[in-house]
Amino acid sequence: MASSPGELAVVLHTHMPYVEGFGTWPFGEEWLWEATATSYLPLLDVLARAPVTLSLTPVLCDQLEAPGAIGRCVEFLREIRPASHALDLEQFAGDAALVAELRRSEAEYAAAADAIAGLGDRFLAALGEHATWTSSATHAVLPLICTDAGLALQLQTGIGAHRRRFGDWHGGFWLPECAHAPWLHEALEDAGVRATCVELTSRFGRGDPRHLHPLQTDDGPVLWPIDRELIDLVWGAAGYPSRAPYRSYDRLTERHHRIWANDGAPYDPARADEQVRADAAEWVARVRARVAGGGVCVCAFDTELFGHWWYEGVRWLHAVLDAAAEQGLALTTLDDALERHAAAPAPAGVRPSSWGEHGDLRTWSAPRVADFAWRMRTAELGLLATGARPSDRALRELLALQASDWAFIAYRDWAGEYPEQRAAGHAEALTRALRGDARLAPRVRNLAPALSGWEG
């Protein structure tokens, strides 16, 4: 089969909210340990096989780098998960198929624990070896930041953290939530950002060939449009993870194990593997047709979709690599593609956009979550109004408050009062830090250990 003239760029944006020391199951640290075992660890094999554009958010790295973090992860996998499996095994003792799946799940957690323990403090470095893109310090929705000082704090702290940990950086930057606005360009340029991804589906329309080419802005970085049409085959409501043989994410045992397929049958790995191969071959064929006339199909995903949310997702990525080789579809990183593909002028008059609901910023600023946006902006303006450089503690609480996660989780109604408690807690701690409250704990754990950029 002849090779396609175009290319596929898989972009994996790797991020978890700052949960180090903030609660346990299901929305505290153990959420991070689950993602580490089921997504980040198996992803290492994919990254070793093919060119993938990997971004790691600084806030995720802060947590994986924190003293004792990997040890607590291994402890969770070796103590909590075996105990929870034992209880479920007792409950389902009369069902041979479900017992077999619980035993298999138990063995996977044990193997993950051994692998993570073997890497130890080198775990983050193993991921970072493949990470060419970074992001803002705490995954803030940058168009909602209201001052130059606040924007510089997010950008420079995040970029500085990447350089400190991983060395060279060539300007690849993931805009959190793919949230873009033209007024960011100058600040991105000043921070050294060379290229980023944007969601322009509402501007160009689905399937438009303009999504396949980089766009050069007048006063800032190159914009890579993501290809919503191809992304939704995987990530849409009726995407591949919803297929009948795949393991159900929503149906849980009492101890939060997943042992059923989407169609309600006991989970069958062999049946799921057959579906994985078929879906990967279909997707590669669709991408190949998309770039038959040239260009780059940019398909960006949250890394945690693969393995953590979609159990078979990492296996699907491996199958995509196999299918791409069989069908003659070339893969590329965005950094490499930028050297080969000339950028067209970016369109004028682009409105703020994101990959959130309806392609705008409502997921983080609509009436149901307006309190999160106002709280964040009020705190930022309050710090600037002091006229002096705030304490490091106050700046770290601002960074924590600016994280996109709290409004996002509240908008989706995923975690009860947890996001409101987290945002309100950081706002209160910021106020106490400004007052010099001696009773305030001395630090925000390992969040943003090296601050940079605030010049209020």
Side-chain angles (χ1 to χ4, degrees), residues 315-329:
R315 301 211 301 272
W316 181 83
L317 285 173
H318 278 290
V320 163
L321 300 182
D322 295 338
E326 293 167 3
Q327 297 185 33
L329 176 64

Side-chain angles (χ1 to χ4, degrees), residues 106-190:
E106 184 179 39
E108 285 187 338
Y109 278 104
D114 290 345
I116 294 169
L119 286 168
D121 291 340
R122 295 178 290 111
F123 182 81
L124 178 58
L127 271 179
E129 181 181 342
H130 306 280
T132 55
W133 280 36
T134 188
S135 189
S136 65
T138 55
H139 207 258
V141 177
L142 298 182
L144 293 181
I145 290 180
C146 56
T147 70
D148 291 341
L151 187 56
L153 178 68
Q154 280 283 348
L155 292 175
Q156 294 183 28
T157 298
I159 292 168
H162 181 92
R163 284 180 161 141
R164 175 178 63 83
R165 290 178 174 119
F166 307 126
D168 289 343
W169 175 67
H170 301 291
F173 186 89
W174 179 262
L175 288 170
E177 312 296 2
C178 222
H180 166 260
W183 62 78
L184 298 175
H185 294 169
E186 184 177 353
L188 293 171
E189 178 77 9
D190 289 346

Side-chain angles (χ1 to χ4, degrees), residues 165-227:
R165 290 178 174 119
F166 307 126
D168 289 343
W169 175 67
H170 301 291
F173 186 89
W174 179 262
L175 288 170
E177 312 296 2
C178 222
H180 166 260
W183 62 78
L184 298 175
H185 294 169
E186 184 177 353
L188 293 171
E189 178 77 9
D190 289 346
V193 174
R194 183 184 181 207
T196 191
C197 290
V198 292
E199 170 76 86
L200 294 177
T201 307
S202 60
R203 178 62 181 264
F204 293 158
R206 296 173 73 93
D208 190 285
R210 286 174 291 181
H211 291 297
L212 300 177
H213 303 282
L215 304 170
Q216 179 63 62
T217 60
D218 290 337
D219 53 357
V222 168
L223 309 178
W224 283 102
I226 64 174
D227 199 314

Side-chain angles (χ1 to χ4, degrees), residues 15-63:
H15 169 68
M16 283 289 287
Y18 193 76
V19 293
E20 182 207 353
F22 284 95
T24 54
W25 187 261
F27 303 115
E29 276 198 341
E30 292 169 358
W31 186 12
L32 174 61
W33 308 149
E34 283 284 343
T36 299
T38 61
S39 186
Y40 308 150
L41 175 68
L43 182 66
L44 291 173
D45 290 335
V46 174
L47 297 172
R49 287 189 60 190
V52 172
T53 303
L54 179 70
S55 79
L56 297 179
T57 61
V59 64
L60 170 64
C61 297
D62 292 343
Q63 297 174 86

